[in-house]
């Protein structure tokens, strides 16, 4: 159905973010600096491999970690991030289970469909999305988002 197609497309998009384009130096990638491997391991209980960092043609700064089939991804959209955040929130609410979360940055929500768990927030004109595909599920995302929002 439509939900399955959306989930497949979301996973494919995340995987394309990892494989497409040149990998940038970690020191230059704010997404990989926003949450450290230690922050992620402490929150999820999972040791992910070396992160793949890149800036997409759309201007998103991304950082993706893998542990077998499980993925952890963080994306920052700085220019026009506020408009993008609200556009994505409206799209997500049509296809995913969306739960608003108060007290993080200017606005935040958790979106879930199947094994895809995405926590998004906006602070000023910067939008951030943190995703976990697979275990441990959405549980650690709110705490990680609070930490990331505090570092922006």
């Amino acid at each position: 159905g439509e939900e399955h197609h959306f989930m497949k497309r979301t996973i494919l998009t995340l995987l394309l973010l990892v494989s497409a384009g040149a990998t940038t130096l970690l020191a230059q990638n704010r997404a990989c600096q926003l949450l450290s491997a230690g922050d992620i391991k402490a929150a999820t209980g999972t040791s992910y491999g070396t992160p793949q960092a890149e800036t997409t043609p759309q201007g998103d700064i991304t950082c993706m970690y893998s542990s077998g089939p499980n993925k952890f991804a963080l994306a920052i959209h700085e220019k026009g991030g506020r408009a993008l955040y609200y556009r994505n929130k409206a799209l997500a609410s049509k296809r995913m289970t969306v739960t608003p979360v108060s007290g993080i940055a200017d606005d935040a929500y958790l979106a879930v469909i199947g094994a895809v768990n995405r926590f998004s927030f906006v602070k000023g004109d910067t939008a951030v999305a943190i995703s976990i595909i697979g275990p441990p599920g959405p549980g650690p995302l709110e705490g990680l988002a609070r930490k990331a929002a505090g570092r922006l």
Side-chain angles (χ1 to χ4, degrees), residues 26 48-52 64-66:
L26 292 184
Y48 294 93
T50 304
Q52 298 292 314
M64 172 86 80
Y65 294 84
S66 298

Side-chain angles (χ1 to χ4, degrees), residues 2-149:
E2 186 178 320
E3 288 179 5
H4 178 72
H5 177 72
F6 179 74
M7 187 168 71
K8 266 179 65 176
R9 200 170 65 223
T10 300
I11 292 168
L12 183 62
T13 300
L14 287 171
L15 294 177
L16 284 173
L17 287 176
V18 173
S19 61
T23 298
T24 58
L25 292 173
L26 292 184
Q28 296 173 343
N29 188 304
R30 290 191 52 217
C32 289
Q33 292 172 341
L34 204 53
L35 292 172
S36 70
D39 293 333
I40 296 163
K41 182 176 186 201
T44 64
T46 301
S47 289
Y48 294 93
T50 304
Q52 298 292 314
E54 78 169 63
T55 300
T56 67
Q58 297 79 24
D60 292 324
I61 302 166
T62 64
C63 188
M64 172 86 80
Y65 294 84
S66 298
S67 176
N70 304 318
K71 309 283 182 228
F72 181 93
L74 194 145
I76 302 173
H77 193 96
E78 294 178 308
K79 284 188 179 175
R82 180 169 286 274
L84 179 70
Y85 170 85
Y86 286 106
R87 202 163 48 246
N88 286 345
K89 186 177 182 181
L91 285 171
S93 65
K94 293 178 183 173
R95 297 179 175 95
M96 303 172 84
T97 302
V98 172
T99 307
V101 179
S102 60
I104 297 178
D106 300 337
D107 194 67
Y109 67 92
L110 171 68
V112 177
I113 184 168
V116 178
N117 308 280
R118 186 180 75 220
F119 197 102
S120 299
F121 67 86
V122 63
K123 185 174 181 179
D125 198 31
T126 300
V128 175
I130 304 171
S131 304
I132 293 177
I133 300 174
L141 285 173
E142 184 174 338
L144 286 167
R146 283 187 193 283
K147 190 169 282 194

